[in-house]
Amino acid sequence: MTVHLIKYAAEDTDVTFAARVSTLGGESRLNETPEKDAGLINYLMRDRHGSPFEHTSFTFYIEAPIFVVREFMRHRAGWSYNEESGRYKELEPVFYTPADGRPLRQIGKAGKYKFVDGDYMQKRTVSGDIERISTEAYSTYKRLLDLDVAREVSRMVLPVNIYSSFYATCNARSLMHFLSLRTQDETSKFPSFPQREIEMVAEQMEDFFHFHMPETWRAFQRNGRVAP
């Protein structure tokens, strides 16, 4: 999984400036002490006053399998997307195959389950079958293109583990909502059960969030990883 932060306008002070305008007007941009800023951010997070966190922006470039991209696009509030198009460009033969340590078996019923390691035969079969199907599908795709079949039709034979690339832009509030659902953390107030592949992307995005908005991230963590 590839995640690059292309651009950002996101600092902890963006949150505090936006919050203080309600009582200070234009003077809200006068700097307070770091301690007061940290206390205000924690108060906003704890009491779920979320709008000040929307005055920030992160733009990510992400490369991931199509099944991960589709999960991303279930997140709509506060997000904008533009994705590589198989209608307009020839897709590259890059396919995702789970790593050896990726859990393969689901145990339990919906809403109360966990994933555990597969046995040797399951691992061998999953890896071999995915690689075989991916190779055969891409060969068929290329054959259709060579017959001058339109790209938008030829791509129909490709599986969802082929890689796509896209831009995703969000604010800190929408990013925290995404992280609360797409990562597992024992400190979370509400447990989440993300598919491992989207969690691998989310973890990289959270590293950027932590680096650029450390006080906001700490308040998010301190208050059970609940988006305000």
Side-chain angles (χ1 to χ4, degrees):
M1 309 296 168
T2 299
V3 178
H4 295 297
L5 182 62
I6 301 300
K7 62 179 181 177
Y8 65 94
E11 298 178 355
D12 292 321
T13 51
D14 294 326
V15 178
T16 57
F17 292 157
R20 290 190 175 111
V21 76
S22 62
T23 56
L24 298 177
E27 295 180 0
S28 68
R29 294 193 66 82
L30 298 176
N31 288 329
E32 293 281 358
T33 64
E35 293 78 13
K36 286 187 177 180
D37 281 351
L40 175 57
I41 288 171
N42 189 69
Y43 160 73
L44 295 170
M45 191 78 68
R46 184 194 68 210
D47 285 17
R48 305 194 73 184
H49 296 294
S51 59
F53 297 96
E54 296 176 8
H55 297 277
T56 56
S57 178
F58 295 90
T59 296
F60 299 97
Y61 169 76
I62 300 168
E63 295 177 354
I66 284 178
F67 67 86
V68 171
V69 181
R70 295 300 161 263
E71 282 200 89
F72 250 98
M73 293 183 182
R74 295 177 66 85
H75 296 269
R76 298 180 296 278
W79 288 84
S80 298
Y81 300 102
N82 280 92
E83 185 185 359
E84 161 185 358
S85 174
R87 295 185 66 196
Y88 303 121
K89 70 180 293 289
E90 183 176 324
L91 301 177
E92 298 297 322
V94 182
F95 295 89
Y96 175 76
T97 302
D100 185 61
R102 203 265 192 232
L104 297 179
R105 297 178 57 225
Q106 179 178 325
I107 296 178
K109 59 184 179 180
K112 191 176 182 181
Y113 59 85
K114 62 180 180 178
F115 288 90
V116 299
D117 281 344
D119 59 29
Y120 171 77
M121 183 56 67
Q122 288 169 330
K123 292 180 180 179
R124 181 178 177 183
T125 301
V126 166
S127 177
D129 282 358
I130 288 177
E131 290 181 11
R132 175 177 56 81
I133 292 298
S134 299
T135 300
E136 291 177 1
Y138 195 80
S139 295
T140 303
Y141 171 68
K142 287 291 290 182
R143 185 167 66 251
L144 293 172
L145 292 177
D146 291 343
L147 290 171
D148 202 27
V149 175
R151 286 185 290 267
E152 66 180 38
V153 176
S154 299
R155 66 178 176 169
M156 294 178 187
V157 301
L158 295 171
V160 294
N161 69 320
I162 193 169
Y163 271 71
S164 185
S165 60
F166 65 106
Y167 281 88
T169 298
C170 62
N171 59 55
R173 188 183 193 182
S174 54
L175 180 57
M176 285 185 281
H177 180 259
F178 172 84
L179 295 174
S180 71
L181 293 172
R182 301 301 182 178
T183 60
Q184 292 189 73
D185 191 297
E186 60 183 16
T187 66
S188 294
K189 184 175 181 180
F190 301 104
S192 185
F193 306 95
Q195 183 162 342
R196 177 54 191 153
E197 285 74 17
I198 197 169
E199 185 178 33
M200 292 162 64
V201 177
E203 288 168 348
Q204 296 180 64
M205 296 170 72
E206 184 160 359
D207 286 342
F208 288 115
F209 174 49
H210 185 186
F211 181 80
H212 290 290
M213 299 185 71
E215 201 57 58
T216 300
W217 179 86
R218 279 191 284 271
F220 175 57
Q221 194 76 11
R222 189 182 299 124
N223 290 280
R225 296 176 65 86
V226 177

